[in-house]
Each structure stands twice: as structure tokens, then as C-alpha cells.
Amino acid sequence: MIDRVAVLSDVHCVLPALEAVLAEPDVRGADLIVLPGDLVVGPMPVETVELIESLGERVVWVGGNCERITVELARGERGGGEPNLTMAAWGAGRLREDQVDRIAGLPKTVTLEVGGLGEVLFCHATPRDDEEIVLVDSGEERWREVLAGAPPTVVCGHTHMPFVRLVDRRTVVNPGSVGMPYGTTGAHWALLGGGGPAVQLRRTEFDVEAAAAKIIAGCDFPGVEEFIDHYLRRPPSDLEALETFRART
């Protein structure tokens, strides 16, 4: 049984945001840090993976669609010419071979016993698929379908929108995104267990301009300033994000 788990999803290689969350007392004091996918694809891939590697066995990393795509690109199993894969291809070309190998070996789901919750399944999008889109306001039948056979608590990411909801006696938690938040600025994450409320959605504010300067200094991706404007300075609203995702379901 693990007493306290910090959940950091969808970091997207925004190193300053990750550093800000890792500095939180409740994250430093957590027994385990779980990453439910999409750590990679973003402006500082090598440095971000190195930081996670430095944390050793305190981190459990679950593979998401960005990890899968990065491996395919790095190994030449997929072409990088698609417009929506430009940053992924750029990052895949910078990761070391040993980093790519580690990412390739990541599990798609992890199940842990967490204090106050019992059995908790961690995945990226849904337990059965790493890029399936299910939203906070998706209907009960849709949620029942994707959660079939899952334990009482499921923690997912992918849509970058923090929420907690009940579905057929199951609790579904999305911690939101550390590096590419929707709805508000700051880095979103969650704390599970720990003797207080069993599920806590958290948000860490950090100096956006200092973060922007650090990212620009460490990144030669040609679209990095647009990335910073869109995700750090003026993130999409929750309604804008929902509208975009609904078009893809």
C-alpha cells in the first residue's frame, strides 16, 4: 500500500513547469510520483527526460501516445512530415538512443494500491487506448464502455483538463497538464491518498516569463515562441478545449 502519490501528467517537456511542481512540498514528500504519459513532445526533451531519470525509483512512468509516436519517429518507423508531428520529430531526433529505448519499454497501464482509494489504475487516455478521447462531460454509456473491467479508481490524462467525476461507482481523475494547461495558467497536477482528502486537484503557479526565457535559451525549435504564447502565457479556455476535442470524438 502506497500512502501518498503525486500525479504529474502531460508535462510535454516544459522543464520549468515540471521543476516548479517537483519543488512543491507535497510532491517532495510523496512516496511515489506517477507520470500518466506525454512527458515527451515539447521544447526541452533531453533535459526533461534526464530530470525524470535522476529521480530513480520514486517515479513510475506510463507511456502515452506522445511516447509511442516519439519512439516510432526516432526509429524511423514513422515519417515526420505530418504538420502535427513537427515538434515530435524535432524532439525524437534529439533524444539519446538509451532514452528512446527506455521510452519504448514503458507500460501502457500501471495499477497500484493507494491509501484511501484502494486499487488505482493509471493510464494515459483510457485503460484500453493511449489516444482515445473521453471528456469530463462525455455521457455515462461512453465512460462505461472505456472503463469496462477497470478497478474502482482510474487516473488518466490526455485531454489536459483537470476533473474528478463518478461513473458507475468508479472515480475517474484527470490531474490536468503540467506543461500545456487548459482553462487556467500554471502547472496542474493531483495528489492521491496522504491522510487528507483521497483526491486533491492542485495547481502550481510559476514565473512564466522566467520560464519562457529558460525554454528559449535551451531550445532551437523554430516555433518555440508560439508554443510559449499559446500554452504558458495564454492557455486555451476550458470551453475552447472542449470544442476542439468534441470535433475529434
Side-chain angles (χ1 to χ4, degrees):
M1 179 77 70
I2 302 164
D3 182 55
R4 179 175 291 194
V5 177
V7 187
L8 283 57
S9 189
D10 296 275
V11 174
H12 285 285
C13 300
V14 180
L15 183 64
L18 175 60
E19 290 173 329
V21 175
L22 290 175
E24 289 277 11
D26 280 337
V27 177
R28 293 202 310 268
D31 300 298
L32 207 61
I33 297 169
V34 177
L35 310 172
D38 285 12
L39 178 79
V40 298
V41 181
M44 302 184 74
V46 175
E47 299 89 341
T48 302
V49 174
E50 286 177 342
L51 176 55
I52 291 303
E53 290 173 333
S54 75
L55 299 176
E57 295 183 356
R58 281 196 69 217
V59 171
V60 173
W61 184 358
V62 177
N65 60 304
C66 284
E67 280 78 12
R68 173 174 51 80
I69 290 168
T70 293
V71 171
E72 292 169 353
L73 290 166
R75 293 180 172 178
E77 299 167 355
R78 182 172 187 158
E82 301 170 49
N84 63 328
L85 294 183
T86 302
M87 180 170 270
W90 173 85
R94 280 152 179 78
L95 291 169
R96 301 190 310 268
E97 185 177 354
D98 64 293
Q99 293 175 322
V100 173
D101 289 344
R102 182 185 182 190
I103 294 168
L106 294 173
K108 300 302 181 186
T109 65
V110 167
T111 301
L112 302 169
E113 290 283 335
V114 179
L117 292 169
E119 192 176 15
V120 180
L121 184 146
F122 298 85
C123 60
H124 181 58
T126 69
R128 66 184 188 181
D129 190 285
D130 65 16
E131 59 183 359
E132 191 170 28
I133 294 175
V134 193
L135 302 169
V136 59
D137 61 350
S138 293
E140 291 181 5
E141 288 304 316
R142 172 68 170 151
W143 275 109
R144 286 196 188 102
E145 175 192 350
V146 303
L147 296 178
T153 303
V154 175
V155 179
C156 57
H158 192 50
T159 61
H160 298 202
M161 301 183 70
F163 66 82
V164 180
R165 66 164 288 176
L166 293 174
V167 181
D168 195 21
R169 299 185 180 181
R170 291 187 180 90
T171 300
V172 182
V173 181
N174 190 317
S177 173
V178 171
M180 294 170 60
Y182 294 158
T184 61
T185 58
H188 296 241
W189 54 286
L191 188 68
L192 309 182
V199 178
Q200 300 178 48
L201 297 180
R202 299 288 189 89
R203 179 164 64 98
T204 298
E205 291 285 4
F206 56 92
D207 187 330
V208 170
E209 293 310 316
K214 181 171 183 174
I215 292 169
I216 291 169
C219 175
D220 61 0
F221 180 73
V224 68
E225 294 194 20
E226 290 82 0
F227 180 97
I228 291 167
D229 281 339
H230 189 65
Y231 292 111
L232 271 66
R233 294 191 179 106
R234 290 178 289 275
S237 72
D238 55 339
L239 296 181
E240 289 170 331
L242 284 170
E243 184 177 354
T244 299
F245 281 125
R246 285 180 187 132
R248 295 166 53 189
T249 57

